[in-house]
Amino acid sequence: LSPLIASAEPIVLIRSGEPEQAIELCERVLDDFPGDNNIKFHLGEALTMSGKYAEAIRTLRSRDVSTADVNFMLGYAYARNGQYDKATEVLNYLLEKRNRAYVPPAMIALIYYGMGDKDMTLDWLNKETNYFMLLFGPMRPLWTDQDFAHIYEFLDQDPI
C-alpha cells in the first residue's frame, strides 16, 4: 500500500469529524512510512481538531518540506495554542506570498479563525472559489454557523 492511497481514509475521517480515529490511522501508516509528509500533515490536522495543539505543532514542523515553518495548518495550531506571534508570522508570510503566487484564501481564513477573528475569517472565506479548500477539518464548526451559511450552502445540495 502506498502512503498516498493510505492517506485517503484519514482524510475522510477528518472531514467526517472523526479526528481521534484519523490520528490512530495516521500513526499506524507512519509506522510503515515514517517520513511521509502527506500523512504527517493529516495527522497534524487531526491533532488540531482534537485540541492537541502542541503535538500538532511538533508533527507539522517535523515535515521535511521547505515550508514546514510557515504552513497554514501550523499557523492555525499556533493560534489555537495561544502563540499569536508565531501565528501572525505564518499569516504574514502567506499574505506576502500572495503577491507572487496563488495562496488559497481559505488557508488565510483558517489562521484568522484560529485567532478568533470571525470578521476576517468570513472576509477571506468569501474570496474562496474552490469548495474543497473550504472543507479543512478544523473549519467543521463553521459549516453550521449561521454567519457562514451562505459559504457552506453547497453542503446541502444534491451532488447529482
Side-chain angles (χ1 to χ4, degrees):
L1 191 63
S2 79
L4 183 60
I5 293 170
S7 71
E9 189 174 355
I11 292 170
V12 170
L13 290 169
I14 288 166
R15 302 299 182 268
S16 299
E18 302 291 340
E20 294 299 330
Q21 290 179 23
I23 290 168
E24 290 175 24
L25 186 55
C26 286
E27 288 173 343
R28 284 198 315 265
V29 173
L30 283 172
D31 286 342
D32 294 329
F33 304 99
D36 189 79
N37 292 314
N38 191 37
I39 295 294
K40 286 181 179 182
F41 175 85
H42 295 302
L43 176 58
E45 182 179 14
L47 288 165
T48 63
M49 290 177 68
S50 295
K52 299 173 183 172
Y53 305 117
E55 192 175 344
I57 290 167
R58 280 192 302 278
T59 299
L60 292 165
R61 290 193 72 223
S62 75
R63 297 171 65 229
D64 186 19
V65 294
S66 63
T67 57
D69 291 329
V70 289
N71 178 275
F72 73 98
M73 193 63 68
L74 179 63
Y76 172 77
Y78 280 143
R80 296 295 293 163
N81 202 42
Q83 295 175 272
Y84 298 111
D85 289 347
K86 289 186 177 187
T88 300
E89 286 177 25
V90 175
L91 181 61
N92 288 339
Y93 169 82
L94 294 174
L95 290 170
E96 188 280 324
K97 184 177 178 180
R98 282 182 59 86
N99 293 325
R100 64 186 191 296
Y102 176 71
V103 175
M107 291 181 175
I108 293 168
L110 184 62
I111 298 172
Y112 280 120
Y113 178 55
M115 296 170 118
D117 190 331
K118 197 170 189 177
D119 290 336
M120 289 301 288
T121 301
L122 186 58
D123 183 53
W124 281 95
L125 287 180
N126 277 322
K127 297 174 186 177
E128 186 59 70
T129 58
N130 182 341
Y131 287 158
F132 177 76
M133 299 304 293
L134 297 169
L135 299 177
F136 292 118
M139 289 182 170
R140 264 186 85 73
L142 300 180
W143 299 2
T144 55
D145 185 316
Q146 282 307 109
D147 292 334
F148 295 84
H150 68 284
I151 293 170
Y152 288 98
E153 63 188 7
F154 72 92
L155 292 174
D156 294 327
Q157 296 174 4
D158 187 342
I160 298 176

